[in-house]
Amino acid sequence: KDRAELLRSDGAHAHAAAALAPRDAPMQAVLLQQMTTQREEVRLQDVELGQLSGAVVRLGEMGRTINQELRTQGAIIDDLDREVDEAGSQMRSAMGIMKKMLKSKDRGKFCAIFVLSAVLILLTMAVFSF
């Protein structure tokens, strides 16, 4: 039967059952008991559906929170990737300069190589410390 009809039917079905002949009293008692049982089951289902609805709402909120967190972390990872690429480019450039300097035998160049190596190490530490 329709859920709303079962909930509204308190008076209507009781009058119908009362209209039965006295010889139908056992049937009347059974019908009233069944109607009461159905109303109670509908009420319990409504309570359970309310709880289920609340759980679904909470899951939706958690899903949105997780989605936002993943987007934020994705942006952070993209920034880190760009910084690592930039540091790698700077390191390749410094290595190229050092190779050129190593080919010549000038003392000033060896000092420059040392300084560039120190800068390279500092850049590497700076990238990985963030």
Side-chain angles (χ1 to χ4, degrees), residues 15-84:
H15 288 301
L20 295 174
R23 61 182 158 78
D24 294 328
M27 179 63 86
Q28 179 181 5
V30 169
L31 286 174
L32 287 174
Q33 180 61 36
Q34 286 179 348
M35 288 183 334
T36 304
T37 301
Q38 285 179 344
R39 279 192 299 275
E40 182 62 21
E41 287 177 10
V42 168
R43 188 190 64 76
L44 290 174
Q45 288 174 354
D46 285 343
V47 169
E48 290 173 0
L49 285 173
Q51 292 171 348
L52 183 59
S53 174
V56 168
V57 167
R58 284 189 302 275
L59 282 175
E61 291 169 356
M62 287 179 5
R64 284 186 287 281
T65 301
I66 289 170
N67 182 31
Q68 184 60 40
E69 183 66 26
L70 288 174
R71 286 177 190 245
T72 301
Q73 289 179 4
I76 291 169
I77 289 172
D78 289 345
D79 289 343
L80 179 63
D81 188 41
R82 279 191 292 280
E83 290 175 9
V84 168

